[in-house]
Amino acid sequence: MRWLLLPLLLVALLAPRAECPVRALVAPPGVTDAAALRTPPLRVGDPLAPLGTDRFGRDAACVLPRALGRSLGLALWALAWGALPGVLLGLWRGWHGRGAWVPELPALLVAALLLGRGSFRLVLAGAVALLTARLVSAQVAAVRREGFVEGAAALGGPAAHILRVHVWPHLHPRLPAVLGSVLSAVFLWLMELGVLGFHDQPTLTVAFTDGLDTVPDVTAVPLNADLGQLISFSRWTWLDTPEGLAWPVLLLTLLTLALKDAVRAGRRSRD
């Protein structure tokens, strides 16, 4: 499935830069006849919006590419901030072999609950560091058991020298596969956190009334949302518009599977 990576990247790069328009009523372009007006959400297959719209009238053909681009940017941001600390921690833990690892997903959920939604990016980068460290540590521990490394340690070589001269040359060709695996995990975490209601961007809260009710209705509009945030909002209306939940879940699943397949292909070609 790695061939899906290029189309998905192109969709994200070609996504509209402006926020998708919110429409209380949807009509064909240039048509002003009241009979042609439609009330959102429109379902998949509707001539006015083949991919459907959300309940704010925003076309999924606009919302989904923007959300895909936001998700890619968020995942790369977390990788950029969490990968280096993870590699350093993995080198240290793999060499010393002390203690047990904290599972990434429970740590991610606990940190998100304790620190709140405002720390979403920090929590995501921390989970990236943990997973990177665990994968690097396993690689370092495997190299450390090689005879040439044990021999260098027996001769009294300093640990820093052995890591730099003997371990690192065997480790760095495997780093692209490690980082690809971590990146695929980030997309999975975005989906899981979205289901639980945690996301990155704030929302626009709108209060409105039809004049007949003294108590205004309050709703939240997800602006500049990533795919996880779309899942977070769609989970409440999936019985009425299941495609609103299915589209972001499908895109995140395809991203995860495509990256995992690319990592496996890279390992096979290296071996």
Side-chain angles (χ1 to χ4, degrees):
M1 297 190 60
R2 59 186 179 276
W3 57 271
L4 284 172
L5 278 177
L6 182 58
L8 290 171
L9 289 175
L10 287 175
V11 169
L13 290 173
L14 298 176
R17 293 292 179 261
E19 186 62 62
C20 305
V22 175
R23 299 173 292 179
L25 296 171
V26 183
V31 176
T32 57
D33 184 8
L37 298 177
R38 304 282 300 282
T39 302
L42 304 185
R43 303 298 303 273
V44 170
D46 193 291
L48 299 183
L51 297 182
T53 73
D54 60 14
R55 58 197 176 101
F56 309 106
R58 300 184 300 176
D59 198 327
C62 173
V63 173
L64 291 173
R66 281 178 53 81
L68 180 61
R70 283 273 305 136
S71 298
L72 286 169
L74 186 58
L76 291 174
W77 183 94
L79 189 69
W81 284 94
L84 181 57
V87 169
L88 296 176
L89 178 60
L91 286 170
W92 184 82
R93 289 291 297 271
W95 182 258
H96 293 284
R98 297 175 182 171
W101 286 105
V102 177
E104 296 82 29
L105 184 56
L108 178 71
L109 297 178
V110 170
L113 287 170
L114 292 178
L115 299 177
R117 188 168 288 130
S119 62
F120 183 87
R121 291 193 172 213
L122 177 63
V123 169
L124 205 61
V128 165
L130 277 177
L131 181 55
T132 304
R134 182 165 63 84
L135 295 177
V136 169
S137 175
Q139 300 286 345
V140 172
V143 175
R144 188 187 178 192
R145 290 192 293 268
E146 297 290 340
F148 63 91
V149 176
E150 292 182 343
L155 292 174
H161 173 79
I162 296 173
L163 284 170
R164 187 181 75 252
V165 175
H166 298 289
V167 176
W168 180 250
H170 289 79
L171 176 64
H172 75 77
R174 306 175 186 180
L175 281 181
V178 168
L179 296 180
S181 298
V182 173
L183 194 59
S184 67
V186 174
F187 294 125
L188 190 61
W189 295 337
L190 289 177
M191 181 161 48
E192 292 165 340
L193 290 174
V195 170
L196 295 175
F198 291 99
H199 47 77
D200 177 43
Q201 287 292 307
T203 57
L204 175 65
T205 301
V206 179
F208 61 93
T209 179
D210 56 8
L212 302 177
D213 189 357
T214 57
V215 179
D217 296 313
V218 179
T219 188
V221 184
L223 299 177
N224 201 25
D226 61 86
L227 292 170
Q229 189 172 4
L230 292 184
I231 292 173
S232 181
F233 276 80
S234 300
R235 74 193 193 280
W236 300 112
T237 58
W238 72 273
L239 287 175
D240 298 323
T241 52
E243 60 272 16
L245 183 62
W247 284 126
V249 169
L250 177 63
L251 287 174
L252 284 173
T253 302
L254 290 177
L255 273 172
T256 302
L257 295 177
L259 274 169
K260 286 184 176 296
D261 189 38
V263 168
R264 285 193 295 267
R267 286 173 178 169
R268 287 194 297 266
S269 64
R270 189 186 69 243
D271 297 338

